[in-house]
């Protein structure tokens, strides 16, 4: 070890250098494997649709254009559906996070009446699923069809998120709550003033899980929503993908459609539509990750009692 100014430099042997090099190579390979599919989809959305359809676009975009995005953004009612998706994601995520954090906290309090019973009652629902038909009947009986609340209430209580929050709260020093109780703080005051500020890492994790689930969901719209004003972005794009696929199949299978195929030579194909839709749907939720990323690396006891 040599010292130069205030910086320390460690001399490593050839074995350590080989291990470091192999580690970088392996992790770089896995990073490439994870990133390449998204890159591949993107370059195909801005390349010639004909070349993309024939699988000629692999590493670099060819004959760049942005007609695919222009056509997708011209889908009727697209922006209304976008606002519905944003609303369900924001509101649904907030409700799920608050309920998961509060129930997780309450299940750690020994003063809660029949605490173990209620915790097991919630947790056991993770292992049983009645299926689509009973779920559909239940939603209909609760009058949640054609109701925006169908996006919020059925997923408000998630046993998995509650367990995560409960485990995290149990790891906090008991002295935090004891000190607050001595000062006369009640249950809600302790939860909002003491617990929430120090469990931000798990809240961020739950928020990302819930937001991704809300953003990607379209089955509830498919089964319960007929009011077009409540259609989500994913459902609109799902329908458009099906229509684009049908149109492409009709053009390709009709022998007398040569002139029609020629007129659509520069139009979006089913493949290009699928890829463009994928980018449109995935991009907003990817942008959410940097907002919460900083909470993953923070200590769980920032601002709490030390020592």
């Amino acid at each position: 070890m040599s010292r130069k100014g205030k910086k320390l430099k460690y001399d490593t042997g050839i074995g350590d250098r080989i291990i470091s090099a192999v580690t970088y190579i392996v992790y770089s390979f896995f990073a490439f494997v994870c990133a390449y599919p998204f890159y591949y989809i993107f370059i195909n959305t801005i390349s010639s649709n004909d070349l993309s359809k024939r699988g000629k676009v692999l590493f670099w975009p060819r004959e760049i254009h942005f007609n695919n995005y222009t056509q997708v953004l011209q889908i009727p009612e697209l922006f209304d559906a976008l606002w519905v998706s944003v609303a369900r994601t924001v509101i649904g995520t907030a409700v799920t996070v608050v309920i998961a954090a509060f129930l997780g906290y309450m299940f750690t309090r020994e003063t809660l009446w029949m605490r173990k019973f209620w915790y097991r009652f919630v947790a056991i629902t993770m292992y049983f699923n009645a299926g689509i038909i009973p779920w559909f009947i239940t939603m209909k009986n609760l009058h949640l069809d054609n109701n925006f609340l169908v996006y919020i209430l059925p997923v408000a209580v998630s046993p998995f998120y509650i367990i995560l929050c409960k485990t995290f709260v149990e790891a906090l020093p008991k002295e935090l709550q004891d000190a607050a109780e001595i000062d006369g703080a009640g249950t809600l005051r302790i939860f909002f003033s003491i617990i929430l500020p120090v469990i931000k890492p798990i809240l961020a994790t739950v928020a990302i899980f819930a937001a991704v689930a809300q953003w990607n969901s379209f089955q509830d719209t498919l089964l319960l929503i007929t009011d077009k004003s409540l259609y989500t972005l994913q459902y609109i794009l799902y329908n458009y993908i099906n229509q684009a696929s049908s149109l492409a199949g009709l053009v390709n299978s009709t022998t007398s459609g040569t002139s029609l195929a020629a007129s659509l030579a520069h139009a979006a194909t089913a493949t290009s539509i699928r890829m463009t839709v994928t980018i449109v749907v995935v991009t907003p939720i990817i942008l959410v990750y940097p907002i919460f990323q900083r909470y993953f690396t923070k200590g769980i006891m920032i601002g709490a009692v030390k020592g």
Side-chain angles (χ1 to χ4, degrees):
M1 182 178 67
S2 60
R3 184 180 183 88
K4 184 178 181 180
K6 295 183 179 180
K7 297 182 179 180
L8 296 178
K9 183 178 180 180
Y10 293 90
D11 296 327
T12 57
I14 185 65
D16 292 334
R17 295 177 182 177
I18 293 176
I19 293 176
S20 297
V22 172
T23 301
Y24 282 121
I25 292 174
V26 171
Y27 280 102
S28 298
F29 172 76
F30 279 109
F32 172 78
V33 169
C34 294
Y36 177 73
F38 293 99
Y39 174 75
Y40 173 80
I41 293 174
F42 174 71
I43 63 176
N44 274 271
T45 62
I46 62 175
S47 299
S48 167
N49 292 335
D50 182 60
L51 295 176
S52 175
K53 182 179 179 180
R54 290 187 288 142
K56 300 297 184 179
V57 182
L58 297 177
F59 294 101
W60 307 105
R62 300 174 61 181
E63 301 181 19
I64 296 177
H65 68 94
F66 296 93
N67 294 337
N68 293 330
Y69 291 96
T70 302
Q71 293 184 19
V72 168
L73 293 177
Q74 289 177 352
I75 298 176
E77 303 175 351
L78 176 68
F79 289 99
D80 291 338
L82 174 62
W83 284 115
V84 174
S85 290
V86 171
R88 73 169 292 178
T89 300
V90 173
I91 299 174
T93 299
V95 171
T96 300
V97 169
V98 171
I99 291 179
F102 183 72
L103 291 182
Y105 160 66
M106 291 302 298
F107 287 140
T108 64
R109 293 183 63 86
E110 297 180 356
T111 57
L112 177 64
W113 177 67
M114 297 182 65
R115 175 173 63 96
K116 293 183 178 180
F117 168 78
W118 293 119
Y119 175 67
R120 293 170 181 171
F121 181 80
V122 171
I124 200 173
T125 60
M126 293 177 59
Y127 306 101
F128 297 96
N129 189 341
I132 293 295
I133 295 178
W135 174 84
F136 176 80
I137 295 174
T138 301
M139 295 299 106
K140 293 283 288 186
N141 291 337
L142 293 176
H143 304 289
L144 290 178
D145 53 314
N146 286 325
N147 191 331
F148 181 79
L149 292 179
V150 75
Y151 298 140
I152 309 300
L153 296 182
V155 294
V157 179
S158 175
F160 177 65
Y161 301 152
I162 292 173
I163 293 174
L164 289 180
C165 292
K166 174 180 179 292
T167 304
F168 201 93
V169 172
E170 286 177 335
L172 300 177
K174 192 66 175 177
E175 291 78 5
L176 287 174
Q177 298 184 42
D178 293 341
E181 290 177 353
I182 292 175
D183 291 337
T187 300
L188 293 179
R189 181 63 182 274
I190 294 175
F191 173 70
F192 286 105
S193 300
I194 305 298
I195 301 299
L196 281 185
V198 297
I199 64 172
K200 288 181 179 179
I202 196 63
L203 293 182
T205 302
V206 171
I208 288 179
F209 289 160
V212 170
Q214 284 280 12
W215 182 263
N216 291 332
S217 177
F218 74 92
Q219 188 178 47
D220 42 13
T221 308
L222 179 64
L223 297 177
L224 292 169
I225 302 298
T226 57
D227 185 356
K228 292 184 178 181
S229 64
L230 293 176
Y231 282 175
T232 60
L233 176 64
Q234 288 69 24
Y235 180 72
I236 291 291
L237 298 181
Y238 165 78
N239 286 337
Y240 191 62
I241 287 177
N242 290 338
Q243 294 172 9
S245 301
S246 300
L247 177 60
L250 177 63
V251 172
N252 294 330
S253 61
T254 304
T255 56
S256 60
T258 305
S259 59
L260 178 59
S263 66
L264 294 178
H266 300 290
T269 63
T271 300
S272 65
I273 288 297
R274 288 192 185 97
M275 293 186 175
T276 305
V277 165
T278 301
I279 294 297
V280 170
V281 171
V282 170
T283 298
I285 202 64
I286 288 180
L287 297 179
V288 172
Y289 278 84
I291 299 176
F292 296 96
Q293 181 63 36
R294 60 193 182 98
Y295 292 110
F296 291 121
T297 56
K298 285 187 176 181
I300 64 173
M301 295 309 300
I302 291 178
V305 176
K306 298 182 179 180

